[in-house]
Amino acid sequence: MGGTRGTKESAVRADEDDGRLDPARWGGELGERATLVQFSSAFCAPCRATRRVLGEVAGMVPGVAHVEIDAEDRLDLVRELGILKTPTVLVLDAAGRVVRRAVGLPRKADVIAALGEAV
C-alpha cells in the first residue's frame, strides 16, 4: 500500500495510554485480526472506489473489518491523526495499533500486502 508507515507518534496521539486507536472513539469495532479504517468525504470519487476495494478485501480475508469514517463528521480524529486528504486508510492490527497508513485509492494487492504486517 503506498503512502507512509504509521508512526508511533500518530498512534500514541490516538490513545496516549497504550498507543492504540480505541474503537470507541470512532464508534466501531476492531476486526479479529485487523481493521481497515477509511477516512472519506461526501464528494470524493476515489473514496467510493476505495470503499469497494477495502470491502472486497475485508470480505476475502477472515477476521478483517472495514470501517469508513466521514472526515467531516469526525474533525477531532482528522486533526488528531493528521488526516490531510481523503481517502486516507489506516491499517490497524488486532490490538488497534496503526501499522500502515496510505493516502489515495489503494490497489487491492497493496492492501492485502499491508494486512500481512497487521496479522
Side-chain angles (χ1 to χ4, degrees), residues 41-107:
S41 53
F43 299 104
C44 166
C47 293
R48 291 187 290 278
T50 298
R51 178 184 313 123
R52 249 187 339 271
V53 169
L54 298 182
E56 288 174 12
V57 171
M60 289 173 29
V61 182
V64 174
H66 170 227
V67 176
E68 187 172 4
I69 298 172
D70 185 320
E72 294 171 34
D73 288 343
R74 294 307 312 265
L75 289 176
D76 57 329
L77 282 177
V78 165
R79 289 183 184 111
E80 189 174 314
L81 296 169
I83 306 296
L84 301 176
K85 296 180 179 182
T86 57
T88 292
V89 178
L90 306 178
V91 179
L92 310 180
D93 65 12
R97 287 183 293 272
V98 178
V99 295
R100 290 293 296 257
R101 175 186 187 115
V103 177
L105 175 60
R107 295 180 318 143

Side-chain angles (χ1 to χ4, degrees), residues 25-46:
R25 304 265 334 274
W26 38 271
E29 293 184 17
L30 292 173
E32 184 179 309
R33 298 176 64 203
T35 306
L36 302 169
V37 179
Q38 173 185 348
F39 284 86
S40 298
S41 53
F43 299 104
C44 166

